[in-house]
Amino acid sequence: MGHGLRRRCREGVLAGRILLNYVVWGNGSVSARLWNAIRSDDWAIPHVGLSSLGEIVGWGVV
């Protein structure tokens, strides 16, 4: 794996952690955070959809 690809993978993991932190524990309503996470240019990550994030939120509050 080249250096550039490794760096992009680490950045992707960091972006995923930031997104999950926002969706599960962020300010405001869960529904608004979920909507932002899938529709907002600031939060959306390709191939991460509402069902996946909703499942994570459900497990996060258990």
Side-chain angles (χ1 to χ4, degrees):
M1 198 183 298
H3 177 70
L5 183 56
R6 219 172 315 148
R7 181 173 156 221
R8 285 195 306 269
C9 289
R10 280 194 305 259
E11 290 170 356
V13 169
L14 179 59
R17 287 181 179 178
I18 291 169
L19 174 70
L20 293 177
N21 187 48
Y22 167 71
V23 169
V24 176
W25 294 287
N27 294 324
S29 70
V30 173
S31 59
R33 293 191 314 261
L34 285 170
W35 181 259
N36 289 337
I38 62 169
R39 298 289 182 201
S40 167
D41 289 338
D42 293 333
W43 289 106
I45 295 177
H47 311 294
V48 177
L50 180 60
S51 296
S52 299
L53 293 172
E55 183 80 14
I56 291 166
V57 168
W59 282 102
V61 296
V62 170

